[in-house]
Amino acid sequence: MYSLDDTIAAIATSIGQSGIGIIKLSGPESLPIARQLFRSAKGISKLQPYHLHYGHIVDPASNIAVDEALVVYMPKPHSYTQQDIIEIQAHGGIVPLRRILQLVLSLGARPAEAGEMTLRAFLNGRMDLAQAEAVLDIIEAKTDAALRVATEQLGGALSGQVSQVRRALLDTLAFLEASIDFVEDEIPLQDVVGPLTDVSTQLEKLLISADHGQIYRQGIKAAIVGRPNVGKSSLLNALLRGERAIVTEIPGTTRDTLEETANVGGIPLVLVDTAGIRTDTADKVERIGVERSQKALQQADIALMVIDGSCDLERSDWEIEGLVRHKPGLLIVNKTDLLSAKNLQPPANFYPDAERCRISALENQGINTLEEAIVELVLGGGVTPADTPMVSNPRHKALLQRALEHTQSAITGQQNELTPDLVSIDVREAVETLGEITGETVTEDLLDTIFSKFCIGK
Ligand SMILES: Nc1nc2c(ncn2[C@@H]2O[C@H](COP(=O)(O)OP(=O)(O)OP(=O)(O)O)[C@@H](O)[C@H]2O)c(=O)[nH]1
Ligand SMILES: [Mg+2]
């Protein structure tokens, strides 16, 4: 069992040099510890709740000031963890923050585990599990769209829907269990298939949103491939709107894969620039680079195959085409600014399933259209139902899928006139599975797995 009775403390801001850094305490000893360390500039002896107090953190053993600080006291239950919280805002240097934390620990607090503040918020009922997970998603959001999905989830949009569906299932379960114990005319008859079908529709809607939600949260990996000198690194730079990769007129400039995340229509697009692939190279370094390119291609979700529009297709282009042929992706004809490029139309059997885009990475032409094509390829033109919160967490998706299977199995069972005790098994499974999303039914192991992904101090 988790202990909630002791006082935990951690540096809540990232370690490095910054204007301020925050040390956070949560638990019953927070206030007594702060009292021993804080000396108010105004000589105020009591830390008033929700007031910012200015003064110094003082080592009680030597009475020497360690740093100037602002201190705020947030008494339970109106705090993040629903426990007494003290936040010390000191200067954001590694030494002052470590020193203050040391003092706090020497006065009886214990170092917080990763995610332990949020775990306490969950265990004390301030938020459910899906909301707690949203906190991590907010911290890790890579684009505005991902942030929006996470903020909605923190606000309880997903939890609300899941709880509603779960209540409907509980209602049906209560009826089924009653019909096991009583003969038919003793309890009012209730429709089972109708409500279960509604539940199944709701779950399906949530699952449709999950594919998109996951893309916004985790992003998509795209390998930029092509023979040397076609403009792969130039394309990477154009999509990042910056000079990230080295570009030269020398074929074989990029020797190792390079990974950067671009924001393409709200989707975090992890771009992997690769060494130009030519199989006949004798250069040892380049050969290793080529092997890495092939590996990057295998690991990518989509391929962005670049060809040089200013000359004819070469043997290497066809060789690379053989590698990408069965991968979803786009065929990008680059260097369309050059006069000779105007007419290059790769034959229809060259990367046949890929949409074609004509661009000039050098002059930034066609980049917006290319981005639209990427979004279209990745989201498949599908639309998430507007009234449905987006499911972005693979854990939630798997649980929704399982709940749906049990619900559908219960419907079939009922239609085939199975006895209520048999039908109720599936309904109960569905109820418990949904409870794992919001945390009503959850094991300690699972909580450990989820919260260990958090940073210390959150
Ligand atoms: N005219 C023109 N030149 C371009 C364009 N894109 C890239 N180039 C030029 O083509 C040369 C090669 O560009 P890179 O982006 O380094 O090509 P790469 O495919 O990354 O090459 P490797 O890393 O060697 O495989 C450079 O001189 C670029 O300036 C374009 O759209 N138009
Ligand atoms: Mg390059």
Side-chain angles (χ1 to χ4, degrees):
M1 264 319 283
Y2 295 106
S3 130
L4 290 168
D5 306 332
D6 52 356
T7 299
I8 53 175
I11 299 171
T13 42
S14 64
I15 305 292
Q17 295 181 358
S18 58
I20 62 161
I22 295 177
I23 289 137
K24 194 165 176 156
L25 289 77
S26 174
E29 288 303 306
S30 300
L31 185 60
I33 291 174
R35 280 216 191 97
Q36 293 176 72
L37 288 179
F38 181 65
R39 191 164 64 205
S40 157
K42 282 189 180 162
I44 300 169
S45 60
K46 195 166 164 281
L47 283 168
Q48 258 182 296
Y50 312 111
H51 278 62
L52 214 46
H53 294 269
Y54 167 69
H56 289 86
I57 299 297
V58 175
D59 182 345
S62 63
N63 214 23
I64 292 172
V66 175
D67 194 7
E68 205 180 19
L70 292 169
V71 173
V72 63
Y73 166 46
M74 292 170 261
K76 65 178 183 186
H78 301 294
S79 74
Y80 185 68
T81 55
Q82 296 203 335
Q83 299 187 311
D84 280 355
I85 281 190
I86 289 279
E87 274 185 21
I88 302 171
Q89 302 181 7
H91 289 107
I94 299 165
V95 176
L97 291 177
R98 289 236 168 103
R99 183 84 189 93
I100 295 169
L101 180 63
Q102 244 172 28
L103 291 174
V104 167
L105 299 180
S106 72
L107 293 173
R110 133 178 105 67
E113 307 277 344
E116 200 175 359
M117 301 277 176
T118 309
L119 174 66
R120 286 191 170 190
F122 163 69
L123 292 173
N124 284 330
R126 183 177 177 278
M127 53 176 85
D128 69 24
L129 193 56
Q131 290 174 305
E133 288 174 292
V135 171
L136 183 62
D137 288 350
I138 288 179
I139 294 171
E140 292 183 345
K142 294 184 189 79
T143 66
D144 285 349
L147 177 61
R148 200 165 54 241
V149 173
T151 312
E152 261 180 36
Q153 191 176 315
L154 178 62
L158 175 64
S159 307
Q161 287 249 340
V162 169
S163 304
Q164 195 191 328
V165 173
R166 191 164 173 269
R167 270 198 303 278
L169 283 167
L170 276 169
D171 213 38
T172 304
L173 184 62
F175 168 74
L176 285 168
E177 284 180 342
S179 16
I180 300 170
D181 299 333
F182 299 95
V183 280
E184 260 177 34
D185 47 2
E186 279 181 324
I187 50 162
L189 216 64
Q190 199 175 313
D191 176 22
V192 170
V193 171
L196 286 180
T197 309
D198 287 347
V199 163
S200 143
T201 311
Q202 289 285 334
L203 292 175
E204 276 167 349
K205 263 189 175 177
L206 284 166
L207 278 164
I208 292 173
S209 83
D211 291 336
H212 290 181
Q214 234 159 290
I215 289 170
Y216 281 116
R217 179 173 179 264
Q218 295 178 334
I220 283 283
K221 201 168 213 172
I224 306 177
V225 291
R227 69 176 159 79
N229 225 32
V230 291
K232 299 179 295 299
S233 300
S234 305
L235 171 62
L236 175 94
N237 289 342
L239 286 169
L240 290 172
R241 290 167 173 79
E243 298 296 313
R244 177 63 186 87
I246 300 170
V247 168
T248 76
E249 69 290 352
I250 306 161
T253 302
T254 307
R255 299 219 147 193
D256 201 352
T257 50
L258 175 84
E259 218 176 277
E260 281 292 331
T261 304
N263 178 349
V264 174
I267 298 168
L269 189 72
V270 183
L271 293 162
V272 188
D273 182 19
T274 63
I277 298 177
R278 58 178 163 191
T279 37
D280 55 357
T281 178
D283 181 338
K284 194 171 169 199
V285 179
E286 195 179 335
R287 254 204 340 265
I288 297 170
V290 168
E291 278 168 29
R292 291 203 179 161
S293 303
Q294 291 170 340
K295 201 152 152 222
L297 186 61
Q298 279 164 14
Q299 290 169 347
D301 302 299
I302 62 169
L304 301 177
M305 174 162 188
V306 185
I307 55 175
D308 185 338
S310 70
C311 45
D312 288 330
L313 289 175
E314 294 179 5
R315 214 184 71 191
S316 320
D317 290 313
W318 282 99
E319 278 170 8
I320 298 159
E321 195 270 344
L323 298 174
V324 297
R325 183 166 269 241
H326 299 294
K327 208 159 187 99
L330 298 174
L331 177 58
I332 298 161
V333 183
N334 189 31
K335 308 199 186 180
T336 53
D337 54 293
L338 296 175
L339 271 179
S340 55
K342 296 280 193 277
N343 293 323
L344 175 74
Q345 301 286 352
N349 64 341
F350 190 88
Y351 204 179
D353 295 334
E355 172 110 13
R356 286 145 194 235
C357 294
R358 300 178 75 80
I359 64 159
S360 164
L362 186 70
E363 299 197 344
N364 250 316
Q365 284 163 10
I367 301 298
N368 289 342
T369 317
L370 170 64
E371 287 182 333
E372 283 163 20
I374 292 172
V375 173
E376 175 74 20
L377 173 71
V378 167
L379 298 184
V383 189
T384 294
D387 56 345
T388 310
M390 225 184 239
V391 176
S392 61
N393 190 317
R395 187 183 83 84
H396 300 164
K397 185 185 173 186
L399 291 168
L400 288 167
Q401 188 69 50
R402 224 165 73 205
L404 177 64
E405 281 158 19
H406 284 298
T407 307
Q408 286 173 342
S409 157
I411 295 172
T412 321
Q414 182 71 16
Q415 282 166 339
N416 293 336
E417 292 175 19
L418 292 188
T419 52
D421 55 330
L422 287 178
V423 178
S424 73
I425 294 174
D426 269 316
V427 179
R428 193 175 305 109
E429 282 289 336
V431 167
E432 290 193 356
T433 308
L434 291 179
E436 279 182 50
I437 296 180
T438 41
E440 274 106 341
T441 45
V442 78
T443 62
E444 209 163 295
D445 278 352
L446 177 64
L447 290 183
D448 284 344
T449 316
I450 291 173
F451 287 96
S452 62
K453 292 183 197 138
F454 278 62
C455 33
I456 304 274
K458 191 65 227 178

